[in-house]
């Protein structure tokens, strides 16, 4: 099974732009932080721009958040980079003549819809500001008490 890192990378990009706003915001610099390539960063930044979360100018490495971090939710970011994709997927190739294979798809669709709804509700409660705050708190903890 292949996992998508789009959401994780998109959050990384937005947090980097906010935290490092006075530094190098080129796709190359951001890609170095993500440990990816600049083309992928540019594609994700394009999706974030189309999603109304990022403001960019062609030919200028000066991206900015289009809204305050407290007004951007994890769900907003998810929608921008994943579209209307579901978190879980049903295997449509099961044996319809088997008691399990003939019924599992509809059974799982109902259960997966519940999971999707709960996940979306939780994602709407998590803001980019909260994630950035956690990043900064973890960094301060790594640095230890001032003067030591």
């Amino acid at each position: 099974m292949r996992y998508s890192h789009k959401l994780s990378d998109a959050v990384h990009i937005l947090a980097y732009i906010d935290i490092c706003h006075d530094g190098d915001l080129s796709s190359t610099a951001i890609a170095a932080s993500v440990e990816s390539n600049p083309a992928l960063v540019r594609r994700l930044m394009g999706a974030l721009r189309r999603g109304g979360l990022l403001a960019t100018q062609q030919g200028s490495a000066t991206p900015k958040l289009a809204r305050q971090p407290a007004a951007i939710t994890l769900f907003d970011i998810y929608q921008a980079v994943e579209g209307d994709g579901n978190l879980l997927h049903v295997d449509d190739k099961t044996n319809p003549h088997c008691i399990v294979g003939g019924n599992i798809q509809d059974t799982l669709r109902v259960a997966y819809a519940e999971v999707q709804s709960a996940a979306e509700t939780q994602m709407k409660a998590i803001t980019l500001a909260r994630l950035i705050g956690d990043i900064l708190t973890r960094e301060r903890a790594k640095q230890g008490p001032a003067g030591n």
Side-chain angles (χ1 to χ4, degrees):
M1 176 184 230
R2 196 153 184 241
Y3 299 101
S4 172
H5 294 199
K6 285 187 209 175
L7 178 59
S8 175
D9 291 346
V11 171
H12 188 136
I13 290 166
L14 292 172
Y16 184 94
I17 290 168
D18 187 71
I19 292 168
C20 303
H21 61 273
D22 290 330
D24 182 358
L25 298 180
S26 67
S27 58
T28 300
I30 297 170
S33 179
V34 177
E35 289 198 351
S36 186
N37 65 64
L40 172 76
V41 168
R42 285 190 295 274
R43 279 195 303 275
L44 286 172
M45 288 174 73
L48 293 167
R49 185 182 66 250
R50 288 186 297 279
L53 305 178
L54 192 62
T56 61
Q57 278 188 285
Q58 191 168 355
S60 174
T62 56
K64 293 182 172 120
L65 300 184
R67 303 192 308 237
Q68 291 297 315
I72 298 173
T73 67
L74 192 55
F75 184 70
D76 295 329
I77 302 166
Y78 172 75
Q79 280 193 308
V81 298
E82 296 286 356
D84 292 329
N86 289 324
L87 296 171
L88 305 172
H89 305 279
V90 174
D91 181 356
D92 288 322
K93 295 179 183 175
T94 57
N95 182 349
H97 304 292
C98 169
I99 188 171
V100 177
N103 295 290
I104 192 74
Q105 294 163 351
D106 290 337
T107 297
L108 286 177
R109 281 188 185 94
V110 170
Y112 286 4
E114 291 176 29
V115 170
Q116 184 75 31
S117 178
E120 289 179 6
T121 297
Q122 188 61 36
M123 290 169 81
K124 290 174 184 174
I126 299 170
T127 66
L128 181 60
R130 173 179 153 187
L131 299 173
I132 289 169
D134 189 62
I135 290 166
L136 296 173
T137 297
R138 290 173 187 277
E139 183 59 23
R140 283 191 294 275
K142 284 181 187 176
Q143 294 174 3
N148 288 340

